């Protein structure tokens, strides 16, 4: 089983793609990226990082995901919430700079 098929978001997108016979957009909320020691939450975060913004379609028995690799100029992804202080996270704009410089 491909790792991304265990995601609830992906499973719902597959059902909608089958029902509409069209590609369906994959989208997770920012909260999905928070690191967790819970194995299910961690797996969902990994899947969200890999597929968020992509599309899934179904052809016969095949599930096909298409993901454009592009980073926003400014987007903060919170990873570890710290109550009363804020959160430790990643500014995805750092990856945008690398993308712009053709390092990605």
């Amino acid at each position: 089983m491909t790792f991304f098929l265990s995601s609830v978001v992906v499973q719902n997108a597959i059902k909608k793609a089958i029902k509409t016979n069209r590609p369906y957009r994959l989208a997770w909320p920012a909260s999905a990226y928070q690191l967790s020691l819970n194995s299910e939450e961690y797996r969902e975060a990994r899947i969200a990082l890999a597929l968020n913004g992509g599309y899934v379609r179904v052809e016969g028995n095949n599930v096909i995901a298409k993901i454009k690799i592009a980073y926003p100029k400014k987007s903060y992804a919170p990873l570890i919430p710290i109550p009363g202080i804020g959160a430790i996270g990643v500014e995805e704009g750092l990856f945008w700079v690398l993308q712009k410089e053709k390092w990605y």
Side-chain angles (χ1 to χ4, degrees):
M1 176 186 226
T2 305
F3 87 98
F4 70 86
L5 291 176
S6 64
S7 166
V8 173
V9 171
V10 172
Q11 285 298 318
N12 288 337
I14 290 169
K15 290 174 188 171
K16 290 176 182 175
I18 291 170
K19 185 177 180 178
T20 63
N21 199 30
R22 298 178 53 132
Y24 193 83
R25 188 169 190 273
L26 297 165
W28 283 262
S31 61
Y33 295 107
Q34 292 183 357
L35 297 179
S36 172
L37 297 177
N38 176 296
S39 62
E40 288 182 29
E41 290 175 5
Y42 176 73
R43 183 177 57 244
E44 193 70 29
R46 287 183 59 221
I47 296 168
L49 283 168
L51 302 180
N52 200 7
Y55 288 83
V56 67
R57 71 180 194 273
V58 179
E59 293 181 5
N61 291 327
N62 296 315
V63 175
I64 301 161
K66 184 175 181 180
I67 296 85
K68 180 179 178 184
I69 306 299
Y71 294 94
K73 189 173 184 177
K74 184 166 178 58
S75 178
Y76 180 74
L79 299 175
I80 303 170
I82 302 171
I85 296 176
I88 296 174
V90 174
E91 173 55 62
E92 291 183 326
L94 298 171
F95 300 110
W96 176 84
V97 171
L98 294 173
Q99 175 183 298
K100 185 176 177 187
E101 294 298 319
K102 309 256 188 264
W103 284 31
Y104 277 158

